[in-house]
């Protein structure tokens, strides 16, 4: 008797989980929209302090990682295990690079006292405090997702190496890819809302 | 027994989608420097377009059946209704 596998069920289950992620971030986007409507000038000013160049660089990193991820699935579907493993490793590396840029960005803001409850932030108008509060919550939650995704990809790398993910059974890699791409989609919305609102 | 498998998307297709995403990002960055009105317009058009490209090609939605497409549409429409309700609230208070 062979092990029971349900390809469609596995994928639908993953999508249902992704819907809860849509709603999690969707709620925060709604909060952002409400406060931006109430404090347009403060949001405009505060956004000008974020580096569009760094935001853009991180966008290129994540979009490229998504390309690697999608290609790794194509590779394993074509039976090319080595190429697939290399592409998953490249995807995870892009995730680490993204987090490094993000950390650098956060550190420079912390340095100026701009963090929740920080001295540099509390003397500012309420709209700017809200902007940076949302900035830390939303990019922080997104960063946690990138971290989780990067760890997940390392697990997938091990599963590929042990042939637990194969050409004829690769739904685990496909679902990990769905998660990774969703994290990319969320960043696509975060970029203009925070970095380009000035 | 042959196992059920997903659609194989060719590398060339994925590369073209990636290139399109980079071009759209460059346009978005350029628009946000030109004028505030253009920045908002770009936010409302280019951003969803980029998200759609990722969902449709990278996440294989294009090759899925009606059930999954319908599920995604339902989830996103629900979110849009919430966003619409928010702006009705803010706009008419």
């Amino acid at each position: 008797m062979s092990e029971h596998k349900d390809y469609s069920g596995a994928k639908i289950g993953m999508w249902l989980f992704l819907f809860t992620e849509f709603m999690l971030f969707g709620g925060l986007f709604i909060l952002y929209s409400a406060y931006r409507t109430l404090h347009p000038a403060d949001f405009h000013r505060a956004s000008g302090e974020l580096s569009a160049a760094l935001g853009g660089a991180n966008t290129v990193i994540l979009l490229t990682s998504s390309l690697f991820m999608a290609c790794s699935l194509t590779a394993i579907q074509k039976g090319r295990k080595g190429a697939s493993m290399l592409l998953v490793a490249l995807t995870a590396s892009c995730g680490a690079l993204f987090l490094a840029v993000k950390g650098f960005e956060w550190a420079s803001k912390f340095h100026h006292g701009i963090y929740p409850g920080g001295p540099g932030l509390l003397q500012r108008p309420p709209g700017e405090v809200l902007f940076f509060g949302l900035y830390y919550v939303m990019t922080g939650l997104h960063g946690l997702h990138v971290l989780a995704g990067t760890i997940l990809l390392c697990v997938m790398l091990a599963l590929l190496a042990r042939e637990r993910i194969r050409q004829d059974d690769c739904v685990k890699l496909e679902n990990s890819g769905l998660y990774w791409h969703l994290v990319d989609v969320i960043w696509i919305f975060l970029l203009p809302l925070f970095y380009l609102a000035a | 027994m042959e196992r059920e498998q997903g659609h194989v998307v060719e590398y060339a297709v994925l590369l073209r989608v990636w290139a399109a995403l980079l071009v759209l990002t460059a346009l978005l960055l350029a628009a946000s420097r030109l004028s505030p009105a253009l920045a908002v317009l770009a936010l409302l058009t280019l951003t969803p377009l980029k998200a759609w490209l990722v969902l449709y090609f990278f996440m294989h939605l294009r090759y899925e059946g009606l059930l999954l497409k319908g599920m995604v549409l339902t989830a996103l429409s629900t979110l849009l209704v919430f966003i619409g309700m928010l702006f009705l609230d803010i706009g008419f208070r």
Side-chain angles (χ1 to χ4, degrees):
Chain A
M1 203 178 104
S2 70
E3 192 186 353
H4 174 74
K5 296 270 182 187
D6 183 351
Y7 171 75
S8 303
K11 210 152 66 174
I12 286 178
M14 189 65 201
W15 273 99
L16 285 175
F17 167 64
L18 295 188
F19 295 159
T20 70
E21 296 274 17
F22 282 165
M23 294 305 160
L24 173 66
F25 280 94
L28 289 168
F29 283 124
I30 286 173
L31 199 63
Y32 172 95
S33 310
Y35 283 138
R36 183 169 169 175
T37 314
L38 295 175
H39 305 278
D42 287 350
F43 268 53
H44 182 82
R45 245 193 329 273
S47 170
E49 291 179 37
L50 295 180
S51 160
L54 283 182
N58 255 351
T59 304
V60 173
I61 293 171
L62 268 200
L63 289 176
T64 307
S65 78
S66 260
L67 170 71
F68 291 149
M69 186 72 236
C71 286
S72 79
L73 181 64
T74 300
I76 197 70
Q77 283 171 331
K78 288 173 182 265
R80 299 184 56 204
K81 177 183 157 188
S84 182
M85 285 183 68
L86 176 69
L87 286 159
V88 171
L90 282 172
T91 312
S93 310
C94 284
L97 188 62
F98 175 92
L99 287 174
V101 173
K102 189 97 250 144
F104 171 73
E105 227 185 308
W106 274 30
S108 84
K109 282 278 165 287
F110 274 40
H111 187 69
H112 292 102
I114 299 174
Y115 51 88
L121 189 57
L122 288 181
Q123 60 197 12
R124 287 164 177 251
E128 291 193 31
V129 177
L130 285 169
F131 178 89
F132 281 108
L134 284 166
Y135 165 74
Y136 280 116
V137 169
M138 291 174 78
T139 61
L141 188 62
H142 177 265
L144 279 178
H145 278 76
V146 174
L147 183 64
T150 306
I151 295 169
L152 181 70
L153 289 178
C154 293
V155 174
M156 291 307 125
L157 209 52
L159 292 180
L160 273 164
R162 294 160 145 203
E163 310 236 329
R164 296 272 301 278
I165 295 173
R166 299 179 304 271
Q167 183 177 13
D168 63 346
D169 182 15
C170 54
V171 73
K172 286 191 190 76
L173 188 68
E174 191 168 355
N175 281 346
S176 306
L178 285 177
Y179 180 80
W180 192 260
H181 297 310
L182 177 93
V183 170
D184 190 16
V185 168
I186 292 164
W187 182 258
I188 286 175
F189 285 96
L190 289 178
L191 172 78
L193 292 187
F194 286 104
Y195 295 85
L196 309 178
Chain B
M1 191 189 88
E2 179 127 344
R3 275 191 177 127
E4 217 181 338
Q5 279 302 321
H7 185 90
V8 181
V9 187
E10 289 304 324
Y11 297 119
V13 175
L14 298 172
L15 266 173
R16 278 204 294 274
V17 172
W18 172 72
L21 284 165
L22 290 188
V23 170
L24 289 173
T25 303
L27 284 177
L28 188 68
L29 287 166
S32 71
R33 275 165 183 261
L34 288 176
S35 83
L38 213 56
V40 173
L41 185 70
L43 165 70
L44 293 176
T45 51
L46 300 182
T47 312
L49 183 60
K50 282 169 71 186
W52 179 80
L53 280 174
V54 173
L55 282 161
Y56 214 57
F57 291 97
F58 285 174
M59 295 172 86
H60 292 197
L61 211 52
R62 181 183 177 179
Y63 315 98
E64 298 293 352
L66 269 180
L67 172 67
L68 206 56
K69 279 183 177 149
M71 282 169 63
V72 174
L73 201 65
T74 309
L76 291 180
S77 311
T78 309
L79 190 56
L80 273 181
V81 167
F82 286 150
I83 293 173
M85 278 161 65
L86 167 91
F87 281 105
L88 277 178
D89 179 22
I90 293 180
F92 294 99
R93 63 167 66 196

